[in-house]
Amino acid sequence: MYNCIICRYHEIATKGNNRNMFEKCLVDNIRHILRETAPECRVRRIRGRVWIEPGESGTFSRETLNMIIRELPDVFGLESFSPAILLPVDMDIIRQTVVGLAPDIFASHPAAHPRFRVRARRSNKRFPLTSQQIEIDLVTAIAEKVGYDKFDIDLKNADITLGCEIRDEFSALYFDIYRAAGGLPVGSNPRVLTLLSGGIDSPAAAWQIMKRGSPTDFITFHSFPYTPVETVDKVRSIAAVLNKFQRHGRLFIVNLAEFQKSVRDNCSPRMRTVLYRRAMFRIAEAVALREKCKALVTGEALGQVASQTVDNMDTINRSIDMLVLRPLVGADKLETIALAEKIGTMKLSSIQVPDSCTVFAPSSPATAATVDLALAEEAKIPDYAGILEKIINDIEIDA
Ligand code: ATP
Ligand code: MG
């Protein structure tokens, strides 16, 4: 019966001059998810809403509707959406339609006396009835059709809510409101590069940044043959899950082993983790500059592990000039686990495979490494720059 889907957004509506760009980006992203399974659908924006219509067929098939209900919650920028019935701006037609639907609605509800309400919104100020008059009109018509004893009116906690929007061009009736992720449409902010490990945090960090509108590429570090091929396979699977939230992010795969051997052979064991991290940042910055990514993203959370003390984060950060976004900096591990579960990366992250950072890792890493200390250790590595350059030249790309 549904012949449109009303898509609501929130934050975009607060944008001034840029609002047009944000809306266009949102519409493009919705079209993108429909392109394969429902290319016949039309997506339009009409003042403050995006409307999806089924194209030639007139109404959505069950299959298409289910697909859209499954996919839309992952489109950033959307606040909520509702499958709806689009009607002319005519109270008689609206009333007739509602009365026609009413018996089924109450018959299919499990409660004998469901709590019911009508919520009307009227942006068309020329419409002869006010929102409240529309609500009373429709409730009365429904009660006359199904019987006054079939439901209780409850304006606060309704089991069934009938929404009715009166716009200039058309009106719409709907029942269900599905929540979406909110945020800003991916593509409304510049591209970034996420340092993606097989851990729990960095996938959640990538998701947070996409939610704020930046598409992201991924870079991962492994230490083959000291880490197995499974280390990279795991990150590939995680990147595939994250790519459901954006068009496509490439994965840059970096073998850090040569550098790590050199650190092992030349530097203080306690400094290894910080030195690995500084090298990762430098390599990531070089890739980001080459690929036109405007910032790096990490899953660092203050104080979570030895490398994430304020001192160490500072020393790691000072290896590069580029902005580093750390969306999880203030998150508790439990919050991050809950987010990883929600976005679907937790199961993959829980698979135990060796991580690049643990290769030759010391039993007690430095927790207050200064920049001077790091520079002094790096100076002990013969041809530091040459080793990094070779590693950068050998990067594999999953395009
Ligand atoms: P995660 O769960 O994301 O691995 P973590 O709590 O294990 O984080 P660290 O291992 O100290 O913390 O890593 C901090 C951040 O550094 C990670 O969130 C990630 O962004 C980056 N990072 C660490 N190891 C790698 C790696 N092997 N490849 C790419 N990025 C990495
Ligand atoms: Mg980790």
Side-chain angles (χ1 to χ4, degrees):
M1 66 176 177
Y2 292 118
N3 59 3
C4 88
I5 294 168
I6 309 178
C7 302
R8 307 176 188 87
Y9 45 83
H10 169 66
E11 190 167 339
I12 297 173
T14 66
K15 302 286 172 197
N17 293 339
N18 283 336
R19 177 167 169 170
N20 199 29
M21 181 273 286
F22 285 98
E23 287 178 341
K24 202 172 157 302
C25 194
L26 179 62
V27 167
D28 281 351
N29 292 348
I30 294 174
R31 284 192 183 126
H32 183 77
I33 64 159
L34 300 174
R35 80 196 177 286
E36 269 165 18
T37 31
E40 70 285 0
C41 290
R42 277 182 66 193
V43 186
R44 298 192 284 165
R45 56 190 163 129
I46 305 171
R47 249 165 290 142
R49 296 261 193 278
V50 171
W51 305 81
I52 306 176
E53 289 162 285
E56 295 297 299
S57 57
T59 53
F60 291 106
S61 68
R62 230 321 103 206
E63 235 180 7
T64 304
L65 195 63
N66 286 344
M67 183 278 291
I68 294 177
I69 290 171
R70 215 174 37 242
E71 304 273 343
L72 274 190
D74 292 339
V75 175
F76 292 125
L78 275 188
E79 214 48 42
S80 69
F81 62 93
S82 298
I85 303 168
L86 213 59
L87 297 168
V89 189
D90 179 323
M91 195 59 204
D92 290 334
I93 296 177
I94 295 169
R95 191 184 309 106
Q96 257 172 31
T97 308
V98 167
V99 165
L101 292 171
D104 267 358
I105 292 157
F106 293 104
S108 61
H109 198 276
H113 289 272
R115 293 164 299 177
F116 178 69
R117 69 179 165 188
V118 177
R119 275 278 171 86
R121 274 178 62 113
R122 187 187 65 133
S123 60
N124 176 345
K125 298 300 172 201
R126 282 166 301 149
F127 196 71
L129 305 185
T130 64
S131 297
Q132 206 183 6
Q133 286 168 332
I134 298 167
E135 289 170 3
I136 294 167
D137 184 305
L138 294 181
V139 168
T140 312
I142 291 170
E144 275 168 11
K145 174 74 180 183
V146 300
Y148 281 84
D149 58 344
K150 278 285 183 294
F151 59 87
D152 296 319
I153 294 288
D154 191 327
L155 297 182
K156 281 220 172 95
N157 296 306
D159 301 307
I160 305 171
T161 300
L162 168 64
C164 175
E165 281 200 23
I166 312 282
R167 321 245 329 166
D168 287 340
E169 312 81 352
F170 50 80
S171 62
L173 296 171
Y174 57 89
F175 294 97
D176 302 303
I177 299 182
Y178 295 89
R179 293 278 144 215
L184 298 171
V186 179
S188 61
N189 262 320
R191 179 168 287 274
V192 296
L193 180 64
T194 300
L195 283 80
L196 189 65
S197 70
I200 297 167
D201 305 78
S202 44
W207 185 89
Q208 296 274 32
I209 290 299
M210 289 188 278
K211 183 178 173 190
R212 298 308 300 164
S214 277
T216 185
D217 287 318
F218 307 103
I219 185 165
T220 194
F221 297 88
H222 67 97
S223 314
F224 189 80
Y226 304 99
T227 55
V229 287
E230 285 79 10
T231 299
V232 174
D233 289 344
K234 179 182 176 186
V235 175
R236 276 201 179 98
S237 312
I238 292 173
V241 172
L242 293 170
N243 273 333
K244 289 182 192 155
F245 300 95
Q246 63 174 1
R247 299 280 166 103
H248 185 69
R250 291 165 298 171
L251 176 62
F252 297 90
I253 302 163
V254 188
N255 188 343
L256 203 63
E258 276 313 306
F259 175 76
Q260 290 173 300
K261 275 198 286 185
S262 201
V263 168
R264 177 195 62 190
D265 296 342
N266 297 288
C267 306
S268 152
R270 300 196 66 214
M271 289 291 289
R272 278 177 195 164
T273 313
V274 168
L275 298 176
Y276 294 173
R277 273 303 148 69
R278 283 167 60 91
M280 287 182 183
F281 269 40
R282 286 180 167 131
I283 294 165
E285 183 188 50
V287 171
L289 288 170
R290 191 183 76 196
E291 303 297 332
K292 304 208 164 31
C293 299
K294 289 281 178 61
L296 301 183
V297 178
T298 74
E300 289 166 295
L302 193 57
Q304 198 182 82
V305 289
S307 58
Q308 296 172 24
T309 61
V310 171
D311 283 326
N312 283 358
M313 277 172 72
D314 182 39
T315 299
I316 293 163
N317 199 46
R318 281 171 201 257
S319 57
I320 58 168
D321 291 326
M322 187 173 269
L323 171 68
V324 180
L325 299 169
R326 299 177 174 87
L328 304 183
V329 74
D332 290 351
K333 194 75 186 186
L334 289 178
E335 290 167 344
T336 304
I337 289 173
L339 180 56
E341 260 156 11
K342 184 175 119 177
I343 66 185
T345 53
M346 188 61 203
K347 256 212 192 99
L348 291 168
S349 294
S350 312
I351 302 168
Q352 293 297 324
V353 290
D355 183 272
S356 175
C357 297
T358 57
V359 170
F360 319 131
S363 51
S364 72
T367 51
T370 62
V371 175
D372 286 347
L373 218 55
L375 289 172
E377 291 297 321
E378 282 165 358
K380 294 183 194 166
I381 298 173
D383 197 19
Y384 183 103
I387 297 175
L388 255 51
E389 200 185 315
K390 168 133 194 355
I391 290 176
I392 292 169
N393 285 336
D394 289 346
I395 289 176
E396 271 178 74
I397 306 173
D398 276 6

